[in-house]
Amino acid sequence: MLPSPADAERIVLENIFTLPAEHCPLAAAHGRVLRAPIVADRELPPFDRVTMDGFALRSAAWAAGTRRFRVTGMQAAGMGPLTLRADDECVEIATGAVLPAGADCFVPYEETARDGEFVTIANDASLAPGRSVHARGSDGAKGAVLVAAGVRLTEREVAVAAACGDAQLSVGMRPSVAVVATGDELVEVDAPAVEPHQIRRSNDVALRAALLGGELAARVECFHLRDERTEVEAGLRRIVAEFDVVLLTGGVSKGKFDFVPAALAALGVEKKIAGVAQRPGKPFWFGVTPRRAPVFALPGNPVSASVCYRRYVVPALEKMLGVELAYPDWVPLANTTPGHPTLTRLNAVRLIATPDGRRTAHAVACNTSGDFAELVGTDGFVELPPGATEVTAGTVARLWAWK
Ligand code: AMP
Ligand code: MG
């Protein structure tokens, strides 16, 4: 019996090893997977930071009725703290400056009137200790973990790392990936002429774009092998020896020219999965080379290839990089869509958000697993367990977003 998609995913992940970590300059860290936590090297913020322009004074003086204060200095951002010496004095202060020693309170320019070296505070101003002061340590204690390992770095984590003085980060090494198209019908995208019986290579081009755009690979190289047993085997021998991950498309079904499984077997690639109880993507094949490098053979049909890539290859590569696995996502169906009595259906959907705050998945009608133009504008696919030939609107399904 063929494994279900969940079983197939488990088998794949059991055979995937996380790659070592490497150092990466902060400027190149966006999209990489953090492998050592980002820790606060000092309190955040490191001093009582004033967040507006105005005057710093003592709240007790204000509470006792003082309204007119002598301005004794200017506290600019970047200056060490001045000292406020008397109740009827204040210090002019700029956004981002440290609250002067002896002051506990702040009033913005807008609530004051200046005359020479004095300033008068409006009676209706509301002064309280801490007003407009971003208190030292209020965002994080020294030593606090601000970003955990396993996070994919965005500009937000990069900002935190910069604030903590981390010019280098420990990130997961990314694999080199070979994307191998097979098939005599395939021609290059820029082939000068394409015969009616020929097909332009699109799967491998799409996979390379997904791998690089998703920061899942350090290097991606595309290859094309013809449907010829010795060529497939010789080509794969070189490729399997060189790359950390091999991604094949086509040649994996039961056809007369589908030489991929036999060629991989001849190279000592150990078969772990040969077919999954799903549609599309039933011929999906997975194995590991003698040096434990994963080999994924995706069906050639573009929709099947896309679905299998997202369902099995992306989680595997994320594990290699050290990504903490994300929580599953669920969504109700907006329309009734085909199911299958014995196979899990993976149906492409467009997500629709409505003003009442709900999100539903509108399944698109894919003609066949070759109807890849149908995928344009979709957001992912829903996973519909076997059972009925139709899955009704309102059913809640597991969602696999393309991204
Ligand atoms: P196969 O799995 O080799 O039987 O291929 C199934 C279908 O997918 C055939 O119609 C192929 O022409 C098509 N196909 C295979 N590889 C590619 C590719 N790299 N780009 C676009 N279509 C492909
Ligand atoms: Mg083929």
Side-chain angles (χ1 to χ4, degrees), residues 54-79:
F55 300 92
L57 58 136
R58 291 180 183 162
S59 58
W62 165 263
T66 310
R67 294 293 177 268
R68 190 170 145 89
F69 296 81
R70 201 159 67 81
V71 183
T72 60
M74 173 74 216
Q75 178 84 63
M79 272 172 72

PDB file of all heavy atoms in Angstrom, residues 54-79:
ATOM      1  N   GLY A  54      11.701  68.340  24.329  1.00  0.00           N
ATOM      2  CA  GLY A  54      11.054  69.185  25.346  1.00  0.00           C
ATOM      3  C   GLY A  54      11.979  69.465  26.507  1.00  0.00           C
ATOM      4  O   GLY A  54      13.160  69.778  26.293  1.00  0.00           O
ATOM      5  N   PHE A  55      11.450  69.294  27.720  1.00  0.00           N
ATOM      6  CA  PHE A  55      12.216  69.621  28.924  1.00  0.00           C
ATOM      7  C   PHE A  55      12.093  68.488  29.940  1.00  0.00           C
ATOM      8  O   PHE A  55      11.031  67.883  30.077  1.00  0.00           O
ATOM      9  CB  PHE A  55      11.696  70.928  29.557  1.00  0.00           C
ATOM     10  CG  PHE A  55      11.805  72.095  28.606  1.00  0.00           C
ATOM     11  CD1 PHE A  55      10.732  72.429  27.770  1.00  0.00           C
ATOM     12  CD2 PHE A  55      12.978  72.837  28.518  1.00  0.00           C
ATOM     13  CE1 PHE A  55      10.833  73.477  26.872  1.00  0.00           C
ATOM     14  CE2 PHE A  55      13.078  73.887  27.616  1.00  0.00           C
ATOM     15  CZ  PHE A  55      12.009  74.211  26.789  1.00  0.00           C
ATOM     16  N   ALA A  56      13.201  68.230  30.654  1.00  0.00           N
ATOM     17  CA  ALA A  56      13.205  67.230  31.725  1.00  0.00           C
ATOM     18  C   ALA A  56      13.241  67.968  33.060  1.00  0.00           C
ATOM     19  O   ALA A  56      13.954  68.964  33.198  1.00  0.00           O
ATOM     20  CB  ALA A  56      14.420  66.332  31.590  1.00  0.00           C
ATOM     21  N   LEU A  57      12.454  67.494  34.010  1.00  0.00           N
ATOM     22  CA  LEU A  57      12.376  68.152  35.316  1.00  0.00           C
ATOM     23  C   LEU A  57      11.998  67.130  36.385  1.00  0.00           C
ATOM     24  O   LEU A  57      12.005  65.929  36.118  1.00  0.00           O
ATOM     25  CB  LEU A  57      11.356  69.301  35.263  1.00  0.00           C
ATOM     26  CG  LEU A  57       9.933  68.912  34.851  1.00  0.00           C
ATOM     27  CD1 LEU A  57       8.932  69.580  35.746  1.00  0.00           C
ATOM     28  CD2 LEU A  57       9.711  69.320  33.401  1.00  0.00           C
ATOM     29  N   ARG A  58      11.674  67.642  37.585  1.00  0.00           N
ATOM     30  CA  ARG A  58      11.288  66.744  38.678  1.00  0.00           C
ATOM     31  C   ARG A  58       9.768  66.761  38.823  1.00  0.00           C
ATOM     32  O   ARG A  58       9.176  67.833  38.992  1.00  0.00           O
ATOM     33  CB  ARG A  58      11.931  67.204  39.982  1.00  0.00           C
ATOM     34  CG  ARG A  58      13.422  67.010  39.956  1.00  0.00           C
ATOM     35  CD  ARG A  58      14.057  67.469  41.238  1.00  0.00           C
ATOM     36  NE  ARG A  58      15.505  67.311  41.114  1.00  0.00           N
ATOM     37  CZ  ARG A  58      16.372  67.909  41.881  1.00  0.00           C
ATOM     38  NH1 ARG A  58      15.981  68.707  42.863  1.00  0.00           N
ATOM     39  NH2 ARG A  58      17.663  67.705  41.696  1.00  0.00           N
ATOM     40  N   SER A  59       9.137  65.643  38.865  1.00  0.00           N
ATOM     41  CA  SER A  59       7.675  65.596  38.971  1.00  0.00           C
ATOM     42  C   SER A  59       7.220  66.139  40.328  1.00  0.00           C
ATOM     43  O   SER A  59       6.133  66.707  40.434  1.00  0.00           O
ATOM     44  CB  SER A  59       7.165  64.170  38.755  1.00  0.00           C
ATOM     45  OG  SER A  59       7.749  63.296  39.698  1.00  0.00           O
ATOM     46  N   ALA A  60       8.053  66.005  41.347  1.00  0.00           N
ATOM     47  CA  ALA A  60       7.668  66.496  42.685  1.00  0.00           C
ATOM     48  C   ALA A  60       7.507  68.014  42.650  1.00  0.00           C
ATOM     49  O   ALA A  60       6.611  68.572  43.289  1.00  0.00           O
ATOM     50  CB  ALA A  60       8.714  66.087  43.718  1.00  0.00           C
ATOM     51  N   ALA A  61       8.383  68.705  41.884  1.00  0.00           N
ATOM     52  CA  ALA A  61       8.308  70.161  41.792  1.00  0.00           C
ATOM     53  C   ALA A  61       6.995  70.570  41.112  1.00  0.00           C
ATOM     54  O   ALA A  61       6.295  71.478  41.560  1.00  0.00           O
ATOM     55  CB  ALA A  61       9.503  70.695  41.011  1.00  0.00           C
ATOM     56  N   TRP A  62       6.658  69.865  40.056  1.00  0.00           N
ATOM     57  CA  TRP A  62       5.398  70.133  39.352  1.00  0.00           C
ATOM     58  C   TRP A  62       4.219  69.877  40.305  1.00  0.00           C
ATOM     59  O   TRP A  62       3.304  70.702  40.416  1.00  0.00           O
ATOM     60  CB  TRP A  62       5.314  69.221  38.117  1.00  0.00           C
ATOM     61  CG  TRP A  62       3.938  69.124  37.519  1.00  0.00           C
ATOM     62  CD1 TRP A  62       3.013  68.155  37.739  1.00  0.00           C
ATOM     63  CD2 TRP A  62       3.321  70.042  36.622  1.00  0.00           C
ATOM     64  NE1 TRP A  62       1.873  68.410  37.037  1.00  0.00           N
ATOM     65  CE2 TRP A  62       2.035  69.578  36.338  1.00  0.00           C
ATOM     66  CE3 TRP A  62       3.752  71.245  36.030  1.00  0.00           C
ATOM     67  CZ2 TRP A  62       1.153  70.228  35.493  1.00  0.00           C
ATOM     68  CZ3 TRP A  62       2.866  71.906  35.176  1.00  0.00           C
ATOM     69  CH2 TRP A  62       1.586  71.389  34.920  1.00  0.00           C
ATOM     70  N   ALA A  63       4.260  68.766  41.034  1.00  0.00           N
ATOM     71  CA  ALA A  63       3.170  68.415  41.948  1.00  0.00           C
ATOM     72  C   ALA A  63       3.044  69.471  43.049  1.00  0.00           C
ATOM     73  O   ALA A  63       1.942  69.769  43.521  1.00  0.00           O
ATOM     74  CB  ALA A  63       3.414  67.030  42.556  1.00  0.00           C
ATOM     75  N   ALA A  64       4.162  70.083  43.453  1.00  0.00           N
ATOM     76  CA  ALA A  64       4.143  71.098  44.517  1.00  0.00           C
ATOM     77  C   ALA A  64       3.695  72.461  43.980  1.00  0.00           C
ATOM     78  O   ALA A  64       3.649  73.437  44.723  1.00  0.00           O
ATOM     79  CB  ALA A  64       5.524  71.212  45.166  1.00  0.00           C
ATOM     80  N   GLY A  65       3.414  72.560  42.691  1.00  0.00           N
ATOM     81  CA  GLY A  65       2.851  73.793  42.143  1.00  0.00           C
ATOM     82  C   GLY A  65       3.816  74.633  41.327  1.00  0.00           C
ATOM     83  O   GLY A  65       3.427  75.666  40.788  1.00  0.00           O
ATOM     84  N   THR A  66       5.069  74.259  41.215  1.00  0.00           N
ATOM     85  CA  THR A  66       6.016  75.046  40.415  1.00  0.00           C
ATOM     86  C   THR A  66       5.610  74.951  38.941  1.00  0.00           C
ATOM     87  O   THR A  66       5.314  73.866  38.439  1.00  0.00           O
ATOM     88  CB  THR A  66       7.453  74.513  40.603  1.00  0.00           C
ATOM     89  OG1 THR A  66       7.711  74.394  42.002  1.00  0.00           O
ATOM     90  CG2 THR A  66       8.476  75.440  39.940  1.00  0.00           C
ATOM     91  N   ARG A  67       5.589  76.108  38.257  1.00  0.00           N
ATOM     92  CA  ARG A  67       5.222  76.140  36.838  1.00  0.00           C
ATOM     93  C   ARG A  67       6.321  76.764  35.985  1.00  0.00           C
ATOM     94  O   ARG A  67       6.370  76.578  34.781  1.00  0.00           O
ATOM     95  CB  ARG A  67       3.906  76.922  36.633  1.00  0.00           C
ATOM     96  CG  ARG A  67       2.675  76.247  37.272  1.00  0.00           C
ATOM     97  CD  ARG A  67       2.357  74.940  36.554  1.00  0.00           C
ATOM     98  NE  ARG A  67       1.244  74.221  37.168  1.00  0.00           N
ATOM     99  CZ  ARG A  67       1.384  73.287  38.105  1.00  0.00           C
ATOM    100  NH1 ARG A  67       2.594  72.958  38.540  1.00  0.00           N
ATOM    101  NH2 ARG A  67       0.325  72.667  38.599  1.00  0.00           N
ATOM    102  N   ARG A  68       7.152  77.595  36.615  1.00  0.00           N
ATOM    103  CA  ARG A  68       8.203  78.304  35.873  1.00  0.00           C
ATOM    104  C   ARG A  68       9.555  77.742  36.298  1.00  0.00           C
ATOM    105  O   ARG A  68       9.855  77.630  37.491  1.00  0.00           O
ATOM    106  CB  ARG A  68       8.089  79.796  36.210  1.00  0.00           C
ATOM    107  CG  ARG A  68       8.941  80.703  35.362  1.00  0.00           C
ATOM    108  CD  ARG A  68       8.496  82.151  35.662  1.00  0.00           C
ATOM    109  NE  ARG A  68       9.622  83.083  35.628  1.00  0.00           N
ATOM    110  CZ  ARG A  68      10.027  83.698  34.520  1.00  0.00           C
ATOM    111  NH1 ARG A  68       9.419  83.476  33.379  1.00  0.00           N
ATOM    112  NH2 ARG A  68      11.045  84.548  34.573  1.00  0.00           N
ATOM    113  N   PHE A  69      10.335  77.322  35.284  1.00  0.00           N
ATOM    114  CA  PHE A  69      11.614  76.648  35.555  1.00  0.00           C
ATOM    115  C   PHE A  69      12.728  77.339  34.794  1.00  0.00           C
ATOM    116  O   PHE A  69      12.515  77.817  33.675  1.00  0.00           O
ATOM    117  CB  PHE A  69      11.546  75.175  35.104  1.00  0.00           C
ATOM    118  CG  PHE A  69      10.534  74.349  35.857  1.00  0.00           C
ATOM    119  CD1 PHE A  69       9.183  74.382  35.514  1.00  0.00           C
ATOM    120  CD2 PHE A  69      10.926  73.546  36.920  1.00  0.00           C
ATOM    121  CE1 PHE A  69       8.249  73.627  36.191  1.00  0.00           C
ATOM    122  CE2 PHE A  69       9.986  72.784  37.608  1.00  0.00           C
ATOM    123  CZ  PHE A  69       8.644  72.813  37.247  1.00  0.00           C
ATOM    124  N   ARG A  70      13.905  77.362  35.408  1.00  0.00           N
ATOM    125  CA  ARG A  70      15.066  77.928  34.722  1.00  0.00           C
ATOM    126  C   ARG A  70      15.727  76.806  33.913  1.00  0.00           C
ATOM    127  O   ARG A  70      15.932  75.692  34.427  1.00  0.00           O
ATOM    128  CB  ARG A  70      16.068  78.496  35.734  1.00  0.00           C
ATOM    129  CG  ARG A  70      17.021  79.517  35.119  1.00  0.00           C
ATOM    130  CD  ARG A  70      17.609  80.397  36.223  1.00  0.00           C
ATOM    131  NE  ARG A  70      18.480  79.607  37.078  1.00  0.00           N
ATOM    132  CZ  ARG A  70      19.746  79.316  36.760  1.00  0.00           C
ATOM    133  NH1 ARG A  70      20.276  79.792  35.643  1.00  0.00           N
ATOM    134  NH2 ARG A  70      20.475  78.593  37.564  1.00  0.00           N
ATOM    135  N   VAL A  71      16.012  77.111  32.645  1.00  0.00           N
ATOM    136  CA  VAL A  71      16.622  76.087  31.777  1.00  0.00           C
ATOM    137  C   VAL A  71      18.131  76.141  31.985  1.00  0.00           C
ATOM    138  O   VAL A  71      18.765  77.161  31.712  1.00  0.00           O
ATOM    139  CB  VAL A  71      16.269  76.339  30.296  1.00  0.00           C
ATOM    140  CG1 VAL A  71      16.837  75.222  29.418  1.00  0.00           C
ATOM    141  CG2 VAL A  71      14.763  76.453  30.103  1.00  0.00           C
ATOM    142  N   THR A  72      18.719  75.057  32.481  1.00  0.00           N
ATOM    143  CA  THR A  72      20.138  75.103  32.854  1.00  0.00           C
ATOM    144  C   THR A  72      21.045  74.404  31.850  1.00  0.00           C
ATOM    145  O   THR A  72      22.268  74.436  32.005  1.00  0.00           O
ATOM    146  CB  THR A  72      20.359  74.448  34.235  1.00  0.00           C
ATOM    147  OG1 THR A  72      19.916  73.090  34.148  1.00  0.00           O
ATOM    148  CG2 THR A  72      19.598  75.173  35.317  1.00  0.00           C
ATOM    149  N   GLY A  73      20.480  73.765  30.837  1.00  0.00           N
ATOM    150  CA  GLY A  73      21.380  73.098  29.883  1.00  0.00           C
ATOM    151  C   GLY A  73      20.589  72.430  28.767  1.00  0.00           C
ATOM    152  O   GLY A  73      19.353  72.454  28.760  1.00  0.00           O
ATOM    153  N   MET A  74      21.327  71.917  27.834  1.00  0.00           N
ATOM    154  CA  MET A  74      20.710  71.228  26.690  1.00  0.00           C
ATOM    155  C   MET A  74      21.262  69.798  26.650  1.00  0.00           C
ATOM    156  O   MET A  74      22.475  69.587  26.511  1.00  0.00           O
ATOM    157  CB  MET A  74      21.072  71.974  25.399  1.00  0.00           C
ATOM    158  CG  MET A  74      20.639  71.264  24.123  1.00  0.00           C
ATOM    159  SD  MET A  74      18.854  71.380  23.861  1.00  0.00           S
ATOM    160  CE  MET A  74      18.501  69.777  23.147  1.00  0.00           C
ATOM    161  N   GLN A  75      20.367  68.830  26.766  1.00  0.00           N
ATOM    162  CA  GLN A  75      20.762  67.418  26.720  1.00  0.00           C
ATOM    163  C   GLN A  75      20.457  66.892  25.310  1.00  0.00           C
ATOM    164  O   GLN A  75      19.299  66.706  24.945  1.00  0.00           O
ATOM    165  CB  GLN A  75      19.949  66.630  27.753  1.00  0.00           C
ATOM    166  CG  GLN A  75      20.235  65.147  27.785  1.00  0.00           C
ATOM    167  CD  GLN A  75      21.450  64.826  28.634  1.00  0.00           C
ATOM    168  OE1 GLN A  75      21.464  65.071  29.831  1.00  0.00           O
ATOM    169  NE2 GLN A  75      22.483  64.297  27.998  1.00  0.00           N
ATOM    170  N   ALA A  76      21.512  66.722  24.518  1.00  0.00           N
ATOM    171  CA  ALA A  76      21.323  66.230  23.144  1.00  0.00           C
ATOM    172  C   ALA A  76      21.526  64.717  23.119  1.00  0.00           C
ATOM    173  O   ALA A  76      22.141  64.148  24.029  1.00  0.00           O
ATOM    174  CB  ALA A  76      22.316  66.903  22.210  1.00  0.00           C
ATOM    175  N   ALA A  77      21.006  64.075  22.068  1.00  0.00           N
ATOM    176  CA  ALA A  77      21.225  62.633  21.900  1.00  0.00           C
ATOM    177  C   ALA A  77      22.716  62.382  21.764  1.00  0.00           C
ATOM    178  O   ALA A  77      23.420  63.154  21.110  1.00  0.00           O
ATOM    179  CB  ALA A  77      20.490  62.143  20.656  1.00  0.00           C
ATOM    180  N   GLY A  78      23.191  61.325  22.405  1.00  0.00           N
ATOM    181  CA  GLY A  78      24.612  60.993  22.305  1.00  0.00           C
ATOM    182  C   GLY A  78      25.468  61.606  23.392  1.00  0.00           C
ATOM    183  O   GLY A  78      26.632  61.248  23.528  1.00  0.00           O
ATOM    184  N   MET A  79      24.910  62.555  24.163  1.00  0.00           N
ATOM    185  CA  MET A  79      25.655  63.170  25.272  1.00  0.00           C
ATOM    186  C   MET A  79      25.492  62.329  26.533  1.00  0.00           C
ATOM    187  O   MET A  79      24.426  61.775  26.778  1.00  0.00           O
ATOM    188  CB  MET A  79      25.051  64.552  25.612  1.00  0.00           C
ATOM    189  CG  MET A  79      25.597  65.729  24.853  1.00  0.00           C
ATOM    190  SD  MET A  79      24.597  67.207  25.224  1.00  0.00           S
ATOM    191  CE  MET A  79      25.090  67.554  26.911  1.00  0.00           C
TER     192      MET A  79
END
